[in-house]
Amino acid sequence: MSNWLLRNVTILGAAPTDLHLADGVIAEVGRGLATGGAQVFDAAGLVALPGLVDLHTHLREPGREDAETVASGTLAAALGGFTAVHAMANTDPAADTAGVVEQVWRLGRDAGHCDVFPVGAVTVRRRGEQLAELGAMADSAARVRVFSDDGHCVDDAVLMRRALEYVKAFDGVVAQHAQEPRLTHAAQMNEGVVSARLGLTGWPAVAEESVIARDCLLAGHVGSRLHVCHVSTAGSVEILRWAKAKGIRVTAEVTPHHLLLTDDLVTGYDPVYKVNPPLRTAGDVAALRAALADGTIDAVATDHAPHSLEDKETEWGAAAFGMLGLETALGVVAEAMVSTGLLDWAGVADRMAVRPARIGRLDGQGGPLEPGAPANVVLLDPAATVTVDPGSLASRSRNTPYAGMTLPTRVVATFLRGRPTVLDGKPAESGGPGGGR
Ligand code: DOR
């Protein structure tokens, strides 16, 4: 069992203290703790947060192991400071049965880089025609609580209603990819001034907002939990604010890229900027940042979407939607939210660990960093910067929009139940099975 004493660390940016991790839990917190038999880690100047929790990760296994595997994606996650990820269901075959979610969960446990919580598909093969075996997935070893057809919208209102009703039995949540399909037929980028100039088919904000409004009303009607994936427009924020004020049980996430990047980047037709939902305007970015700061948007979720070179580095129209996110998420959030004074480190912990763990109904993730809690911890250096080099990422894919960009903060170490998965910014030597719930 590993036994670590983190000396002079600042928990959530507060005054320096020592943090003793032993037998998988936080054993003690306090100044000048005795070393005992622990390995001592000089953490002066470093900030400790609860291990980050991602609600939205595409690990591509089974089916597209050329783009990512559970092992490569979870190593990327650990390097990004995550101790848990939710693995999206749009694999091949889709994660729509107890068998597939258990397979993904086991692969995650065996790799041991972070906990993997599979998301179950809402409908069979994510085709939007018939509910999948939600109860069987919930009862499986993977204990699924989050269900999503992500990549596709559950656009049939009756199916959406049934799914919302069904998941109540086990306190699950339906995570909607809000995209009205007919309004976005053949859409390539945000509908606006830039799409008009480039002559690309637009993806209008109303296609997202109309689905979110409908689903909030449905969730209110049946009294169930709704989660909105990758919110991207100022109008969506207004609807969420209204729904929360009405007491509707809705939560929402925003991606790092929607907090930093805008649709004018598409002008060069570089498909690295092609993503669904699309990059929006500077006004949308400002509204999303404000909503994350005031809690209207609950969480940051990466939507880490690895794609092979053949699928991504082709002409704009044919390229796949999606961008990498796990290894750069904290740096992008630091740039968009911390450097701007919108969030402090406690706020980052809340939006990237505490609330995502709560939404996913995870035990033992998301803190608090107090004695007795599982020792899931990330140490970051707030004074360091990292220049993103696609060639040195752990992901099997290279489709990062941040190549060459210098981002604030560096993940120095990640501990999963007291065992280092990352030390000095590199994968730690000791592998071994993870565990999970
Ligand atoms: O850009 C995206 N890529 N958006 C999605 O909703 C799906 C994802 C993927 O699976 O590549």
Side-chain angles (χ1 to χ4, degrees):
M1 261 299 174
S2 56
N3 185 3
W4 287 83
L5 185 65
L6 314 181
R7 276 258 190 255
N8 295 316
V9 70
T10 63
I11 297 179
L12 306 181
T17 187
D18 296 347
L19 198 53
H20 182 202
L21 317 180
D23 299 328
V25 299
I26 296 174
E28 293 167 284
V29 182
R31 293 196 65 113
L33 296 181
T35 308
Q39 286 179 268
V40 177
F41 187 103
D42 177 10
L46 305 185
V47 174
L49 307 182
L52 307 181
V53 176
D54 195 15
L55 280 165
H56 194 140
T57 309
H58 296 278
L59 292 177
R60 302 292 189 227
E61 188 173 4
R64 287 306 303 264
E65 291 84 352
D66 55 325
E68 199 76 285
T69 62
V70 172
S72 66
T74 52
L75 179 58
L79 288 163
F82 291 86
T83 52
V85 299
H86 288 78
M88 267 300 166
N90 64 338
T91 47
D92 185 13
D96 61 356
T97 61
V100 178
V101 293
E102 285 193 5
Q103 179 193 2
V104 172
W105 177 75
R106 283 212 176 82
L107 287 166
R109 190 191 54 185
D110 294 348
H113 302 305
C114 74
D115 287 347
V116 174
F117 298 103
V119 173
V122 177
T123 66
V124 174
R125 297 188 186 183
R126 299 170 49 254
R127 287 190 175 167
E129 292 163 359
Q130 176 190 350
L131 281 190
E133 300 172 1
L134 309 185
M137 289 189 273
D139 287 345
S140 73
R143 236 186 122 248
V144 177
R145 288 295 175 273
V146 182
F147 295 87
S148 183
D149 275 0
D150 181 64
H152 293 160
C153 181
V154 181
D155 66 309
D156 181 317
V158 175
L159 263 182
M160 188 62 185
R161 176 197 175 150
R162 293 274 174 265
L164 286 165
E165 285 173 333
Y166 204 113
V167 299
K168 273 171 83 174
F170 36 83
D171 199 21
V173 63
V174 180
Q176 176 69 294
H177 173 121
Q179 176 180 4
E180 209 293 316
R182 284 171 52 80
L183 284 171
T184 52
H185 179 69
Q188 294 287 322
M189 68 171 295
N190 178 48
E191 180 181 296
V193 177
V194 183
S195 67
R197 202 172 63 230
L198 299 180
L200 292 174
T201 306
W203 195 133
V206 65
E208 174 172 306
E209 294 156 6
S210 56
V211 173
I212 296 177
R214 181 203 73 176
D215 287 352
C216 285
L217 294 171
L218 282 174
H221 183 61
V222 302
S224 189
R225 287 207 295 142
L226 168 71
H227 178 73
V228 184
C229 295
H230 41 51
V231 170
S232 71
T233 79
S236 297
V237 168
E238 287 311 305
I239 295 162
L240 290 166
R241 205 168 267 139
W242 172 85
K244 287 190 167 195
K246 295 284 268 188
I248 292 169
R249 300 171 74 201
V250 59
T251 55
E253 68 187 37
V254 61
T255 70
H257 45 274
H258 288 108
L259 290 171
L260 195 67
L261 308 177
T262 51
D263 66 347
D264 46 298
L265 288 164
V266 177
T267 303
Y269 296 97
D270 183 341
V272 82
Y273 299 114
K274 185 173 175 184
V275 66
N276 179 346
L279 301 178
R280 303 285 189 183
T281 66
D284 293 307
V285 168
L288 295 168
R289 289 182 181 189
L292 184 66
D294 74 19
T296 302
I297 293 178
D298 301 79
V300 175
T302 68
D303 199 0
H304 176 82
H307 287 293
S308 67
L309 287 182
E310 306 85 87
D311 288 344
K312 198 62 180 165
E313 291 195 6
T314 174
E315 78 267 26
W316 180 275
F321 289 94
M323 39 182 72
L324 300 183
L326 287 168
E327 292 171 77
T328 48
L330 197 56
V332 174
V333 170
E335 173 82 13
M337 303 299 293
V338 182
S339 305
T340 51
L342 289 165
L343 283 182
D344 57 13
W345 290 116
V348 171
D350 183 68
R351 309 301 197 274
M352 296 187 78
V354 180
R355 293 213 219 183
R358 204 181 292 150
I359 291 165
R361 295 295 191 253
L362 307 186
D363 295 330
Q365 290 283 350
L369 297 185
E370 289 173 2
N376 296 316
V377 183
V378 54
L379 296 183
L380 60 95
D381 183 349
T385 59
V386 172
T387 300
V388 180
D389 169 15
S392 67
L393 297 174
S395 170
R396 280 208 175 166
S397 293
R398 294 288 167 261
N399 53 308
T400 174
Y402 311 110
M405 207 183 268
T406 299
L407 296 169
T409 78
R410 174 170 174 265
V411 173
V412 175
T414 310
F415 293 86
L416 178 64
R417 283 179 287 284
R419 178 176 58 81
T421 55
V422 172
L423 276 179
D424 196 23
K426 297 191 242 340
E429 291 301 310
S430 65
R437 49 178 152 208

